[in-house]
């Protein structure tokens, strides 16, 4: 009996550790009332948040992360991509100054070459070459087994995603995404995808039930052959897995590099009640080890957007209200990361 209890305890501990490690939080800096960067790192530690995404290599943040064991996803900002791709020394300098300089005291996990680069933009054609250059620089630094290079995309690149098995990359997106998929396959790296059921919901309120977007549906909403979907998050992920398969990326894993729900700015959909429900349920779901209907089993590595409300974010008013914490470091919702 003692042996059985011990094995059960170790199994449950393993599940808990696997789940906790699947959650990260994005740390944006677009606010004039945010805590000091050291205080932010301390807030991550107090709440047991073991992974972080930042949108550029901020030296003050990187110094504060030293010795914390918080794993980091760091972006090559969109405005730096062309230089990294075309300047012969830019990638090596970027890796030297922003990665190698801080490693191993800072635990880098991923480098995202750009965030939501529009496929029709002038910079889009430089994303793939910049990824190649950063990968080469990472290998030269001896860090290729520790750090994976990828890029973070919008879900809008996938069309025909209803049902999820029909998901495919749009004709406009294919010239952009195909070389990236080939790179990810060659380097055993994941595709980073920003997954927002909120935006899908507000764009199709007449056809998408709110409970399907908030993980509160008690029944299957979308039947796709033998696979049933009770939440939009899984359907969006599996639509991307289907799209990857159609372009030779069946072995590419997906990391959810952003997901969230705003608490204000577009009532009634954007509300504290809905946001709190979404964050609590998405945490529970990705930590459950269930995976998605198409990819069952295992946690879904996910980064919640975002740590704070950011009062200087551009765009719609909702963009300022995705925070899990107020700028005074008080939690907006009763969420546990431990």
């Amino acid at each position: 009996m003692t042996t059985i209890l011990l094995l059960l305890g170790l199994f449950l501990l393993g599940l808990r550790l696997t789940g906790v490690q699947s959650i990260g939080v994005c740390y944006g800096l677009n606010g004039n009332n945010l805590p000091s960067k050291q205080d932010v790192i301390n807030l991550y530690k107090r709440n047991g948040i073991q992974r972080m995404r930042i949108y550029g290599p901020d030296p003050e943040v990187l110094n504060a992360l030293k010795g914390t064991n918080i794993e980091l996803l760091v972006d090559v900002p969109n405005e730096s991509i062309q230089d990294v791709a075309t300047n012969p020394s830019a990638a090596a300098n970027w890796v030297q100054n922003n990665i190698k300089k801080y490693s191993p005291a800072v635990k880098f996990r991923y480098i995202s070459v750009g965030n939501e680069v529009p496929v029709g933009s002038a910079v889009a054609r430089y994303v793939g070459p910049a990824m190649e250059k950063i990968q080469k620089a990472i290998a030269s630094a001896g860090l290729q087994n520790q750090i994976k290079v990828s890029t973070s995309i919008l879900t809008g690149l996938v069309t025909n995603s209803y049902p999820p098995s029909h998901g495919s990359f749009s004709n406009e997106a294919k010239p952009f995404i195909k070389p990236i998929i080939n790179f990810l396959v060659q380097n055993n790296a994941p595709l980073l995808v920003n997954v927002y059921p909120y935006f899908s919901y507000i764009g199709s309120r007449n056809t998408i039930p709110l409970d399907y977007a908030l993980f509160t549906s008690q029944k299957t909403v979308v039947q796709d052959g033998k696979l049933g979907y009770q939440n939009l998050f899984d359907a969006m992920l599996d639509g991307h897995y289907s799209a990857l398969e159609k372009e030779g990326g069946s072995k590419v894993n997906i990391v959810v590099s952003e997901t969230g729900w705003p608490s204000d700015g577009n009532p009634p959909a954007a509300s504290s009640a809905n946001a709190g429900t979404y964050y609590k349920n998405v945490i529970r779901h990705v930590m459950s080890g269930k995976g998605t209907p198409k990819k069952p089993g295992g946690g879904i590595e996910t980064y919640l957007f975002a740590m704070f409300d950011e009062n200087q974010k551009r765009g719609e008013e909702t963009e300022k209200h995705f925070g899990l914490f107020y700028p005074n470091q008080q939690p907006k919702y009763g969420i546990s990361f431990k």
Side-chain angles (χ1 to χ4, degrees):
M1 178 63 73
T2 302
T3 302
I4 293 173
L5 290 174
L6 177 61
L7 290 172
L8 179 60
L10 290 172
F11 173 73
L12 292 174
L13 178 61
L15 284 180
R16 181 176 182 274
L17 290 174
T18 300
V20 170
Q21 291 173 353
S22 293
I23 287 290
V25 178
C26 303
Y27 173 25
L29 299 173
N30 293 306
N32 61 11
N33 58 352
L34 300 179
S36 74
K37 292 165 186 177
Q38 184 62 63
D39 283 347
V40 173
I41 304 307
N42 292 341
L43 187 61
Y44 271 73
K45 290 164 62 178
R46 285 200 304 274
N47 285 275
I49 304 169
Q50 298 182 357
R51 288 179 178 161
M52 173 189 290
R53 180 183 184 182
I54 57 176
Y55 294 90
D58 183 284
E60 196 175 343
V61 174
L62 293 172
N63 280 318
L65 281 168
K66 288 180 177 178
T68 63
N69 287 323
I70 294 172
E71 293 184 290
L72 188 64
L73 190 174
V74 60
D75 286 24
V76 176
N78 291 6
E79 59 268 23
S80 300
I81 291 173
Q82 183 174 346
D83 184 53
V84 167
T86 59
N87 184 328
S89 60
N93 290 340
W94 194 93
V95 168
Q96 175 62 42
N97 295 332
N98 301 309
I99 305 295
K100 193 172 181 182
K101 178 180 177 181
Y102 298 96
S103 180
V106 176
K107 295 183 67 175
F108 294 97
R109 183 170 177 82
Y110 303 116
I111 296 172
S112 178
V113 178
N115 180 52
E116 299 183 349
V117 174
V119 296
S121 67
V123 75
R125 67 189 182 100
Y126 296 106
V127 174
M131 291 171 66
E132 297 276 3
K133 293 285 189 70
I134 291 291
Q135 180 66 37
K136 184 177 179 180
I138 288 293
S140 296
L143 296 170
Q144 71 275 15
N145 293 327
Q146 175 191 333
I147 303 169
K148 296 295 184 181
V149 178
S150 188
T151 189
S152 187
I153 68 167
L154 281 165
T155 53
L157 302 193
V158 169
T159 58
N160 306 320
S161 56
Y162 179 84
S165 62
H166 289 188
S168 60
F169 289 104
S170 69
N171 289 332
E172 183 186 15
K174 284 180 182 179
F176 168 78
I177 200 68
K178 278 187 173 183
I180 290 172
I181 293 171
N182 292 339
F183 171 90
L184 299 176
V185 171
Q186 290 167 9
N187 293 283
N188 192 29
L191 178 64
L192 309 179
V193 183
N194 295 344
V195 179
Y196 283 95
Y198 166 77
F199 290 114
S200 295
Y201 168 70
I202 63 170
S204 305
R205 296 189 207 206
N206 293 333
T207 56
I208 297 178
L210 181 60
D211 61 356
Y212 183 55
L214 293 176
F215 294 89
T216 55
S217 175
Q218 300 301 308
K219 61 182 181 180
T220 296
V221 177
V222 172
Q223 191 68 42
D224 186 5
K226 294 181 179 180
L227 303 180
Y229 291 85
Q230 286 188 233
N231 68 80
L232 182 55
F233 180 89
D234 280 352
M236 294 173 76
L237 265 183
D238 281 355
H240 281 74
Y241 276 121
S242 294
L244 282 168
E245 287 179 355
K246 293 178 176 68
E247 303 302 332
S250 59
K251 294 183 179 179
V252 175
N253 190 37
I254 292 174
V255 169
V256 178
S257 43
E258 289 182 11
T259 192
W261 196 288
S263 60
D264 204 353
N266 184 25
S271 69
S272 291
N274 285 345
T277 297
Y278 181 79
Y279 284 116
K280 290 174 187 175
N281 287 338
V282 74
I283 290 171
R284 183 181 301 115
H285 180 65
V286 301
M287 291 172 64
S288 70
K290 293 179 180 178
T292 70
K294 186 176 179 64
K295 298 281 187 176
I300 302 167
E301 185 173 346
T302 299
Y303 294 78
L304 306 179
F305 187 87
M307 195 65 173
F308 299 104
D309 285 347
E310 298 173 63
N311 63 3
Q312 294 180 319
K313 282 275 287 185
R314 297 178 181 179
E316 300 291 333
E317 179 63 23
T318 50
E319 293 290 330
K320 301 176 182 178
H321 302 283
F322 276 88
L324 295 166
F325 294 84
Y326 295 107
N328 65 4
Q329 302 183 55
Q330 293 303 304
K332 289 171 71 175
Y333 318 106
I335 293 173
S336 174
F337 304 92
K338 298 180 180 180

